[in-house]
Amino acid sequence: SAIVLMATFGLISTESGIYQIFYAVSDGFFYFLPFFLAITASKQWNTDPYISILIPVAMLYPDITRILENNGVLSFAGLTVPPTVYHSSVIPVLLAIGLLVFIDKLCEKILPNAIKGFMKPIICCLIVLPFTFLLFGPIGSWIGDGLTKIFFMIYEWNPVIAGGFMGFVMQPMVVIGAHWSVVPVSISNIAANGYDVIMPLVGGAVYGQAGAAIAVGFMIKKDKEKFEQFVNFLT
């Protein structure tokens, strides 16, 4: 945030190495959020952390993201993988780790110790990754597409109520990664009409959440409790 403010007020150039490196640190965390979620979820659910990290590795592999984020065609066992944006997403990797927990425990029970070390990762990936790319990943996009259609139906009836609806659902959409489905619609609106009615409402939702978080910070006196409440509110 500090580096962005400095660039906004002209104290530092966005082309400078200082800006680009520190911006990469701040933005990179959210871009690679599935990796952090995989690690923390594996610890919380007591499953193999190394197999867990393989899931976001596949999700965010450059060749995969290039195809899926540009509406390319990717086939898996004769099925077409729906185009999905995986960076900054939450729900797909959590669902994948949740499935991994059960597969990991099953492998621990049935596999002999002599082959468990190399067979368990293979079996887990063979089962979990198809579910991730064919089902868990597209869930956010499907929800986002449905909410966008509902928004325009409401907008044709009453723009004010439509604004309240989008402001209400936007932050939950961010949590499940569904908000990325709104971006192509907004770009299409700008290209066709020269304006867009969705994106301005997104800013209102974000600033509203920031204001609520600041209010929580002022209301809670104990530092430890304040930090925990702040984190819980954001997540």
Side-chain angles (χ1 to χ4, degrees):
S1 300
I3 199 74
V4 172
L5 287 174
M6 291 174 65
T8 302
F9 289 104
L11 300 177
I12 189 173
S13 172
T14 56
E15 302 298 326
S16 66
I18 295 176
Y19 175 86
Q20 294 180 15
I21 290 174
F22 281 100
Y23 185 82
V25 173
S26 61
D27 188 60
F29 171 81
F30 294 101
Y31 186 94
F32 294 107
L33 184 61
F35 285 95
F36 295 94
L37 291 175
I39 295 172
T40 54
S42 67
K43 292 181 179 180
Q44 184 69 28
W45 296 335
N46 195 28
T47 191
D48 194 304
Y50 298 102
I51 301 177
S52 299
I53 206 67
L54 286 176
I55 296 171
V57 164
M59 293 165 61
L60 295 176
Y61 188 72
D63 288 346
I64 298 295
T65 58
R66 176 178 53 81
I67 294 172
L68 296 181
E69 294 185 15
N70 291 281
N71 293 318
V73 177
L74 182 65
S75 297
F76 188 94
L79 300 174
T80 300
V81 178
T84 306
V85 176
Y86 286 108
H87 66 78
S88 305
S89 62
V90 175
I91 297 300
V93 69
L94 291 181
L95 291 175
I97 302 301
L99 176 60
L100 175 62
V101 172
F102 295 99
I103 305 302
D104 186 8
K105 291 180 179 179
L106 183 62
C107 289
E108 286 288 337
K109 291 181 179 180
I110 65 176
L111 289 178
N113 292 330
I115 62 173
K116 186 183 300 182
F118 69 91
M119 282 301 299
K120 185 173 74 168
I122 296 174
I123 294 174
C124 289
C125 288
L126 285 175
I127 297 175
V128 175
L129 287 179
F131 277 94
T132 302
F133 282 98
L134 295 172
L135 180 60
F136 300 153
I139 285 177
S141 297
W142 294 336
I143 294 175
D145 292 340
L147 291 175
T148 302
K149 292 179 180 178
I150 293 174
F151 167 78
F152 281 110
M153 291 174 58
I154 300 175
Y155 186 82
E156 293 179 358
W157 171 58
N158 190 308
V160 175
I161 296 179
F165 170 79
M166 184 54 70
F168 178 76
V169 302
M170 180 50 64
Q171 292 306 105
M173 288 173 67
V174 172
V175 173
I176 63 175
H179 62 297
W180 292 110
S181 61
V182 175
V183 176
V185 178
S186 299
I187 295 175
S188 177
N189 289 338
I190 295 173
N193 306 317
Y195 63 90
D196 174 58
V197 297
I198 299 180
M199 297 309 292
L201 304 174
V202 175
V206 173
Y207 286 120
Q209 185 185 34
I214 293 173
V216 171
F218 281 116
M219 291 172 61
I220 299 176
K221 297 180 180 180
K222 295 182 180 179
D223 291 339
K224 182 178 180 180
E225 184 181 358
K226 182 184 298 185
F227 177 76
E228 292 176 350
Q229 290 286 347
F230 181 75
V231 172
N232 291 334
F233 180 82
L234 291 181
T235 55

mmCIF file of all heavy atoms in Angstrom, residues 13-50:
data_model
loop_
_atom_site.group_PDB
_atom_site.id
_atom_site.type_symbol
_atom_site.label_atom_id
_atom_site.label_comp_id
_atom_site.label_asym_id
_atom_site.label_seq_id
_atom_site.Cartn_x
_atom_site.Cartn_y
_atom_site.Cartn_z
ATOM 1 N N SER A 13 8.673 6.504 -9.321
ATOM 2 C CA SER A 13 8.185 6.137 -10.648
ATOM 3 C C SER A 13 7.756 4.678 -10.676
ATOM 4 O O SER A 13 8.403 3.808 -10.071
ATOM 5 C CB SER A 13 9.282 6.364 -11.694
ATOM 6 O OG SER A 13 8.893 5.841 -12.952
ATOM 7 N N THR A 14 6.659 4.420 -11.385
ATOM 8 C CA THR A 14 6.192 3.035 -11.524
ATOM 9 C C THR A 14 7.123 2.211 -12.408
ATOM 10 O O THR A 14 7.003 0.983 -12.457
ATOM 11 C CB THR A 14 4.778 3.004 -12.116
ATOM 12 O OG1 THR A 14 4.775 3.713 -13.373
ATOM 13 C CG2 THR A 14 3.778 3.654 -11.173
ATOM 14 N N GLU A 15 8.029 2.880 -13.107
ATOM 15 C CA GLU A 15 8.991 2.179 -13.956
ATOM 16 C C GLU A 15 10.271 1.817 -13.209
ATOM 17 O O GLU A 15 11.116 1.100 -13.744
ATOM 18 C CB GLU A 15 9.350 3.055 -15.174
ATOM 19 C CG GLU A 15 8.152 3.449 -16.032
ATOM 20 C CD GLU A 15 7.456 2.246 -16.644
ATOM 21 O OE1 GLU A 15 8.162 1.273 -16.975
ATOM 22 O OE2 GLU A 15 6.220 2.285 -16.766
ATOM 23 N N SER A 16 10.424 2.319 -12.000
ATOM 24 C CA SER A 16 11.652 2.079 -11.245
ATOM 25 C C SER A 16 11.693 0.654 -10.712
ATOM 26 O O SER A 16 10.664 0.008 -10.495
ATOM 27 C CB SER A 16 11.757 3.062 -10.076
ATOM 28 O OG SER A 16 10.728 2.819 -9.129
ATOM 29 N N GLY A 17 12.915 0.172 -10.489
ATOM 30 C CA GLY A 17 13.080 -1.170 -9.957
ATOM 31 C C GLY A 17 12.533 -1.315 -8.552
ATOM 32 O O GLY A 17 11.995 -2.365 -8.187
ATOM 33 N N ILE A 18 12.659 -0.269 -7.741
ATOM 34 C CA ILE A 18 12.146 -0.306 -6.365
ATOM 35 C C ILE A 18 10.640 -0.562 -6.367
ATOM 36 O O ILE A 18 10.136 -1.415 -5.632
ATOM 37 C CB ILE A 18 12.461 1.010 -5.631
ATOM 38 C CG1 ILE A 18 13.973 1.175 -5.470
ATOM 39 C CG2 ILE A 18 11.774 1.046 -4.264
ATOM 40 C CD1 ILE A 18 14.370 2.483 -4.835
ATOM 41 N N TYR A 19 9.934 0.202 -7.210
ATOM 42 C CA TYR A 19 8.473 0.041 -7.271
ATOM 43 C C TYR A 19 8.112 -1.356 -7.748
ATOM 44 O O TYR A 19 7.249 -2.031 -7.157
ATOM 45 C CB TYR A 19 7.875 1.083 -8.213
ATOM 46 C CG TYR A 19 6.385 0.909 -8.431
ATOM 47 C CD1 TYR A 19 5.469 1.475 -7.541
ATOM 48 C CD2 TYR A 19 5.905 0.165 -9.497
ATOM 49 C CE1 TYR A 19 4.108 1.312 -7.722
ATOM 50 C CE2 TYR A 19 4.538 -0.012 -9.681
ATOM 51 C CZ TYR A 19 3.650 0.562 -8.800
ATOM 52 O OH TYR A 19 2.302 0.387 -8.985
ATOM 53 N N GLN A 20 8.717 -1.815 -8.820
ATOM 54 C CA GLN A 20 8.346 -3.093 -9.412
ATOM 55 C C GLN A 20 8.635 -4.258 -8.488
ATOM 56 O O GLN A 20 7.841 -5.198 -8.382
ATOM 57 C CB GLN A 20 9.071 -3.271 -10.743
ATOM 58 C CG GLN A 20 8.641 -2.270 -11.812
ATOM 59 C CD GLN A 20 9.368 -2.473 -13.129
ATOM 60 O OE1 GLN A 20 9.986 -3.508 -13.340
ATOM 61 N NE2 GLN A 20 9.301 -1.487 -13.996
ATOM 62 N N ILE A 21 9.769 -4.199 -7.760
ATOM 63 C CA ILE A 21 10.117 -5.291 -6.857
ATOM 64 C C ILE A 21 9.165 -5.348 -5.671
ATOM 65 O O ILE A 21 8.626 -6.411 -5.326
ATOM 66 C CB ILE A 21 11.575 -5.149 -6.372
ATOM 67 C CG1 ILE A 21 12.535 -5.436 -7.532
ATOM 68 C CG2 ILE A 21 11.851 -6.107 -5.201
ATOM 69 C CD1 ILE A 21 13.981 -5.179 -7.205
ATOM 70 N N PHE A 22 8.917 -4.197 -5.017
ATOM 71 C CA PHE A 22 8.038 -4.206 -3.849
ATOM 72 C C PHE A 22 6.577 -4.432 -4.235
ATOM 73 O O PHE A 22 5.811 -5.023 -3.474
ATOM 74 C CB PHE A 22 8.190 -2.904 -3.055
ATOM 75 C CG PHE A 22 9.420 -2.891 -2.187
ATOM 76 C CD1 PHE A 22 10.571 -2.223 -2.596
ATOM 77 C CD2 PHE A 22 9.436 -3.562 -0.981
ATOM 78 C CE1 PHE A 22 11.705 -2.222 -1.808
ATOM 79 C CE2 PHE A 22 10.559 -3.568 -0.179
ATOM 80 C CZ PHE A 22 11.708 -2.891 -0.597
ATOM 81 N N TYR A 23 6.194 -3.971 -5.426
ATOM 82 C CA TYR A 23 4.836 -4.248 -5.893
ATOM 83 C C TYR A 23 4.671 -5.745 -6.158
ATOM 84 O O TYR A 23 3.608 -6.317 -5.909
ATOM 85 C CB TYR A 23 4.532 -3.452 -7.158
ATOM 86 C CG TYR A 23 3.100 -3.614 -7.627
ATOM 87 C CD1 TYR A 23 2.073 -2.865 -7.045
ATOM 88 C CD2 TYR A 23 2.770 -4.527 -8.624
ATOM 89 C CE1 TYR A 23 0.764 -3.023 -7.447
ATOM 90 C CE2 TYR A 23 1.461 -4.680 -9.034
ATOM 91 C CZ TYR A 23 0.462 -3.925 -8.451
ATOM 92 O OH TYR A 23 -0.839 -4.089 -8.858
ATOM 93 N N ALA A 24 5.739 -6.380 -6.671
ATOM 94 C CA ALA A 24 5.685 -7.820 -6.906
ATOM 95 C C ALA A 24 5.492 -8.579 -5.601
ATOM 96 O O ALA A 24 4.779 -9.594 -5.557
ATOM 97 C CB ALA A 24 6.967 -8.289 -7.595
ATOM 98 N N VAL A 25 6.107 -8.080 -4.527
ATOM 99 C CA VAL A 25 5.939 -8.724 -3.220
ATOM 100 C C VAL A 25 4.485 -8.630 -2.755
ATOM 101 O O VAL A 25 3.884 -9.615 -2.313
ATOM 102 C CB VAL A 25 6.873 -8.082 -2.172
ATOM 103 C CG1 VAL A 25 6.570 -8.623 -0.779
ATOM 104 C CG2 VAL A 25 8.318 -8.344 -2.543
ATOM 105 N N SER A 26 3.899 -7.434 -2.861
ATOM 106 C CA SER A 26 2.528 -7.239 -2.366
ATOM 107 C C SER A 26 1.501 -7.919 -3.253
ATOM 108 O O SER A 26 0.603 -8.614 -2.773
ATOM 109 C CB SER A 26 2.220 -5.735 -2.282
ATOM 110 O OG SER A 26 2.315 -5.131 -3.566
ATOM 111 N N ASP A 27 1.632 -7.745 -4.558
ATOM 112 C CA ASP A 27 0.653 -8.330 -5.476
ATOM 113 C C ASP A 27 0.895 -9.821 -5.660
ATOM 114 O O ASP A 27 -0.048 -10.586 -5.878
ATOM 115 C CB ASP A 27 0.719 -7.617 -6.826
ATOM 116 C CG ASP A 27 -0.406 -8.044 -7.751
ATOM 117 O OD1 ASP A 27 -1.580 -7.855 -7.374
ATOM 118 O OD2 ASP A 27 -0.115 -8.579 -8.838
ATOM 119 N N GLY A 28 2.167 -10.241 -5.556
ATOM 120 C CA GLY A 28 2.483 -11.649 -5.754
ATOM 121 C C GLY A 28 1.839 -12.555 -4.721
ATOM 122 O O GLY A 28 1.464 -13.692 -5.030
ATOM 123 N N PHE A 29 1.702 -12.062 -3.495
ATOM 124 C CA PHE A 29 1.057 -12.882 -2.461
ATOM 125 C C PHE A 29 -0.360 -13.254 -2.882
ATOM 126 O O PHE A 29 -0.771 -14.412 -2.767
ATOM 127 C CB PHE A 29 1.031 -12.130 -1.132
ATOM 128 C CG PHE A 29 0.193 -12.807 -0.080
ATOM 129 C CD1 PHE A 29 0.701 -13.861 0.640
ATOM 130 C CD2 PHE A 29 -1.112 -12.392 0.168
ATOM 131 C CE1 PHE A 29 -0.067 -14.507 1.608
ATOM 132 C CE2 PHE A 29 -1.889 -13.017 1.124
ATOM 133 C CZ PHE A 29 -1.359 -14.074 1.855
ATOM 134 N N PHE A 30 -1.119 -12.273 -3.357
ATOM 135 C CA PHE A 30 -2.495 -12.548 -3.749
ATOM 136 C C PHE A 30 -2.565 -13.348 -5.045
ATOM 137 O O PHE A 30 -3.459 -14.169 -5.228
ATOM 138 C CB PHE A 30 -3.266 -11.228 -3.891
ATOM 139 C CG PHE A 30 -3.422 -10.502 -2.595
ATOM 140 C CD1 PHE A 30 -2.608 -9.438 -2.272
ATOM 141 C CD2 PHE A 30 -4.373 -10.903 -1.676
ATOM 142 C CE1 PHE A 30 -2.744 -8.781 -1.066
ATOM 143 C CE2 PHE A 30 -4.524 -10.247 -0.458
ATOM 144 C CZ PHE A 30 -3.703 -9.191 -0.156
ATOM 145 N N TYR A 31 -1.604 -13.108 -5.957
ATOM 146 C CA TYR A 31 -1.593 -13.860 -7.212
ATOM 147 C C TYR A 31 -1.361 -15.348 -6.940
ATOM 148 O O TYR A 31 -2.033 -16.213 -7.495
ATOM 149 C CB TYR A 31 -0.500 -13.315 -8.141
ATOM 150 C CG TYR A 31 -0.514 -13.932 -9.517
ATOM 151 C CD1 TYR A 31 -1.198 -13.330 -10.565
ATOM 152 C CD2 TYR A 31 0.158 -15.131 -9.770
ATOM 153 C CE1 TYR A 31 -1.223 -13.902 -11.824
ATOM 154 C CE2 TYR A 31 0.134 -15.709 -11.031
ATOM 155 C CZ TYR A 31 -0.549 -15.088 -12.057
ATOM 156 O OH TYR A 31 -0.583 -15.666 -13.296
ATOM 157 N N PHE A 32 -0.407 -15.634 -6.050
ATOM 158 C CA PHE A 32 -0.069 -17.023 -5.733
ATOM 159 C C PHE A 32 -0.754 -17.493 -4.449
ATOM 160 O O PHE A 32 -0.254 -18.409 -3.781
ATOM 161 C CB PHE A 32 1.444 -17.176 -5.597
ATOM 162 C CG PHE A 32 2.184 -16.959 -6.889
ATOM 163 C CD1 PHE A 32 2.928 -15.809 -7.090
ATOM 164 C CD2 PHE A 32 2.133 -17.891 -7.904
ATOM 165 C CE1 PHE A 32 3.613 -15.598 -8.274
ATOM 166 C CE2 PHE A 32 2.806 -17.698 -9.096
ATOM 167 C CZ PHE A 32 3.549 -16.544 -9.292
ATOM 168 N N LEU A 33 -1.873 -16.912 -4.129
ATOM 169 C CA LEU A 33 -2.616 -17.273 -2.923
ATOM 170 C C LEU A 33 -2.925 -18.767 -2.829
ATOM 171 O O LEU A 33 -2.881 -19.327 -1.725
ATOM 172 C CB LEU A 33 -3.915 -16.464 -2.853
ATOM 173 C CG LEU A 33 -4.778 -16.651 -1.610
ATOM 174 C CD1 LEU A 33 -4.016 -16.237 -0.353
ATOM 175 C CD2 LEU A 33 -6.071 -15.833 -1.730
ATOM 176 N N PRO A 34 -3.250 -19.467 -3.932
ATOM 177 C CA PRO A 34 -3.500 -20.915 -3.821
ATOM 178 C C PRO A 34 -2.355 -21.693 -3.194
ATOM 179 O O PRO A 34 -2.586 -22.694 -2.500
ATOM 180 C CB PRO A 34 -3.733 -21.340 -5.278
ATOM 181 C CG PRO A 34 -4.291 -20.128 -5.939
ATOM 182 C CD PRO A 34 -3.563 -18.979 -5.293
ATOM 183 N N PHE A 35 -1.098 -21.256 -3.395
ATOM 184 C CA PHE A 35 0.029 -21.944 -2.777
ATOM 185 C C PHE A 35 -0.029 -21.820 -1.250
ATOM 186 O O PHE A 35 0.152 -22.805 -0.530
ATOM 187 C CB PHE A 35 1.355 -21.362 -3.284
ATOM 188 C CG PHE A 35 1.708 -21.778 -4.680
ATOM 189 C CD1 PHE A 35 1.391 -20.970 -5.756
ATOM 190 C CD2 PHE A 35 2.357 -22.976 -4.909
ATOM 191 C CE1 PHE A 35 1.713 -21.347 -7.043
ATOM 192 C CE2 PHE A 35 2.686 -23.372 -6.193
ATOM 193 C CZ PHE A 35 2.370 -22.554 -7.269
ATOM 194 N N PHE A 36 -0.280 -20.618 -0.764
ATOM 195 C CA PHE A 36 -0.341 -20.393 0.680
ATOM 196 C C PHE A 36 -1.527 -21.146 1.296
ATOM 197 O O PHE A 36 -1.418 -21.696 2.396
ATOM 198 C CB PHE A 36 -0.447 -18.898 0.969
ATOM 199 C CG PHE A 36 0.763 -18.115 0.551
ATOM 200 C CD1 PHE A 36 0.819 -17.498 -0.682
ATOM 201 C CD2 PHE A 36 1.859 -17.998 1.396
ATOM 202 C CE1 PHE A 36 1.938 -16.777 -1.078
ATOM 203 C CE2 PHE A 36 2.986 -17.285 1.013
ATOM 204 C CZ PHE A 36 3.023 -16.671 -0.229
ATOM 205 N N LEU A 37 -2.627 -21.170 0.584
ATOM 206 C CA LEU A 37 -3.804 -21.887 1.081
ATOM 207 C C LEU A 37 -3.538 -23.388 1.130
ATOM 208 O O LEU A 37 -3.989 -24.072 2.052
ATOM 209 C CB LEU A 37 -5.010 -21.589 0.195
ATOM 210 C CG LEU A 37 -5.559 -20.166 0.262
ATOM 211 C CD1 LEU A 37 -6.667 -19.973 -0.762
ATOM 212 C CD2 LEU A 37 -6.093 -19.859 1.656
ATOM 213 N N ALA A 38 -2.836 -23.902 0.124
ATOM 214 C CA ALA A 38 -2.526 -25.333 0.101
ATOM 215 C C ALA A 38 -1.664 -25.721 1.293
ATOM 216 O O ALA A 38 -1.882 -26.765 1.930
ATOM 217 C CB ALA A 38 -1.826 -25.699 -1.209
ATOM 218 N N ILE A 39 -0.687 -24.880 1.622
ATOM 219 C CA ILE A 39 0.203 -25.172 2.750
ATOM 220 C C ILE A 39 -0.561 -25.132 4.074
ATOM 221 O O ILE A 39 -0.466 -26.051 4.901
ATOM 222 C CB ILE A 39 1.375 -24.177 2.776
ATOM 223 C CG1 ILE A 39 2.258 -24.363 1.540
ATOM 224 C CG2 ILE A 39 2.205 -24.354 4.052
ATOM 225 C CD1 ILE A 39 3.324 -23.304 1.388
ATOM 226 N N THR A 40 -1.319 -24.058 4.284
ATOM 227 C CA THR A 40 -2.040 -23.929 5.556
ATOM 228 C C THR A 40 -3.138 -24.976 5.691
ATOM 229 O O THR A 40 -3.362 -25.508 6.778
ATOM 230 C CB THR A 40 -2.654 -22.522 5.679
ATOM 231 O OG1 THR A 40 -3.473 -22.251 4.518
ATOM 232 C CG2 THR A 40 -1.572 -21.464 5.759
ATOM 233 N N ALA A 41 -3.828 -25.285 4.585
ATOM 234 C CA ALA A 41 -4.881 -26.297 4.643
ATOM 235 C C ALA A 41 -4.306 -27.677 4.930
ATOM 236 O O ALA A 41 -4.896 -28.468 5.674
ATOM 237 C CB ALA A 41 -5.669 -26.314 3.328
ATOM 238 N N SER A 42 -3.155 -27.989 4.351
ATOM 239 C CA SER A 42 -2.536 -29.300 4.594
ATOM 240 C C SER A 42 -2.146 -29.449 6.071
ATOM 241 O O SER A 42 -2.267 -30.543 6.635
ATOM 242 C CB SER A 42 -1.314 -29.484 3.693
ATOM 243 O OG SER A 42 -0.281 -28.574 4.047
ATOM 244 N N LYS A 43 -1.694 -28.370 6.693
ATOM 245 C CA LYS A 43 -1.356 -28.418 8.117
ATOM 246 C C LYS A 43 -2.616 -28.541 8.967
ATOM 247 O O LYS A 43 -2.654 -29.301 9.941
ATOM 248 C CB LYS A 43 -0.569 -27.164 8.511
ATOM 249 C CG LYS A 43 0.818 -27.088 7.899
ATOM 250 C CD LYS A 43 1.539 -25.815 8.356
ATOM 251 C CE LYS A 43 2.942 -25.750 7.776
ATOM 252 N NZ LYS A 43 3.667 -24.515 8.205
ATOM 253 N N GLN A 44 -3.636 -27.790 8.594
ATOM 254 C CA GLN A 44 -4.868 -27.796 9.375
ATOM 255 C C GLN A 44 -5.578 -29.142 9.296
ATOM 256 O O GLN A 44 -6.133 -29.622 10.293
ATOM 257 C CB GLN A 44 -5.796 -26.685 8.863
ATOM 258 C CG GLN A 44 -7.078 -26.517 9.662
ATOM 259 C CD GLN A 44 -6.826 -25.978 11.052
ATOM 260 O OE1 GLN A 44 -5.854 -25.264 11.293
ATOM 261 N NE2 GLN A 44 -7.701 -26.316 11.997
ATOM 262 N N TRP A 45 -5.552 -29.760 8.123
ATOM 263 C CA TRP A 45 -6.268 -31.017 7.903
ATOM 264 C C TRP A 45 -5.359 -32.239 7.982
ATOM 265 O O TRP A 45 -5.785 -33.347 7.678
ATOM 266 C CB TRP A 45 -6.987 -30.967 6.554
ATOM 267 C CG TRP A 45 -8.058 -29.910 6.512
ATOM 268 C CD1 TRP A 45 -8.726 -29.395 7.578
ATOM 269 C CD2 TRP A 45 -8.569 -29.246 5.356
ATOM 270 N NE1 TRP A 45 -9.629 -28.441 7.161
ATOM 271 C CE2 TRP A 45 -9.559 -28.331 5.803
ATOM 272 C CE3 TRP A 45 -8.304 -29.325 3.987
ATOM 273 C CZ2 TRP A 45 -10.273 -27.515 4.933
ATOM 274 C CZ3 TRP A 45 -9.025 -28.511 3.113
ATOM 275 C CH2 TRP A 45 -9.991 -27.619 3.584
ATOM 276 N N ASN A 46 -4.102 -31.994 8.343
ATOM 277 C CA ASN A 46 -3.161 -33.094 8.602
ATOM 278 C C ASN A 46 -3.011 -34.022 7.395
ATOM 279 O O ASN A 46 -3.202 -35.237 7.495
ATOM 280 C CB ASN A 46 -3.607 -33.896 9.833
ATOM 281 C CG ASN A 46 -2.494 -34.801 10.350
ATOM 282 O OD1 ASN A 46 -1.318 -34.498 10.183
ATOM 283 N ND2 ASN A 46 -2.877 -35.903 10.966
ATOM 284 N N THR A 47 -2.677 -33.435 6.266
ATOM 285 C CA THR A 47 -2.401 -34.233 5.075
ATOM 286 C C THR A 47 -1.023 -33.877 4.541
ATOM 287 O O THR A 47 -0.377 -32.937 5.037
ATOM 288 C CB THR A 47 -3.474 -33.993 3.999
ATOM 289 O OG1 THR A 47 -3.323 -34.958 2.960
ATOM 290 C CG2 THR A 47 -3.374 -32.590 3.413
ATOM 291 N N ASP A 48 -0.548 -34.606 3.549
ATOM 292 C CA ASP A 48 0.819 -34.449 3.045
ATOM 293 C C ASP A 48 1.016 -33.065 2.430
ATOM 294 O O ASP A 48 0.373 -32.734 1.429
ATOM 295 C CB ASP A 48 1.097 -35.533 1.995
ATOM 296 C CG ASP A 48 2.576 -35.638 1.676
ATOM 297 O OD1 ASP A 48 3.171 -34.616 1.289
ATOM 298 O OD2 ASP A 48 3.128 -36.749 1.792
ATOM 299 N N PRO A 49 1.917 -32.228 2.963
ATOM 300 C CA PRO A 49 2.096 -30.875 2.433
ATOM 301 C C PRO A 49 2.737 -30.853 1.052
ATOM 302 O O PRO A 49 2.479 -29.946 0.247
ATOM 303 C CB PRO A 49 2.995 -30.195 3.472
ATOM 304 C CG PRO A 49 3.731 -31.316 4.116
ATOM 305 C CD PRO A 49 2.787 -32.475 4.123
ATOM 306 N N TYR A 50 3.576 -31.840 0.760
ATOM 307 C CA TYR A 50 4.268 -31.849 -0.530
ATOM 308 C C TYR A 50 3.316 -32.219 -1.667
ATOM 309 O O TYR A 50 3.394 -31.661 -2.764
ATOM 310 C CB TYR A 50 5.458 -32.817 -0.481
ATOM 311 C CG TYR A 50 6.485 -32.416 0.540
ATOM 312 C CD1 TYR A 50 6.559 -33.061 1.772
ATOM 313 C CD2 TYR A 50 7.374 -31.379 0.294
ATOM 314 C CE1 TYR A 50 7.493 -32.690 2.724
ATOM 315 C CE2 TYR A 50 8.314 -30.990 1.237
ATOM 316 C CZ TYR A 50 8.363 -31.649 2.446
ATOM 317 O OH TYR A 50 9.288 -31.261 3.397
#
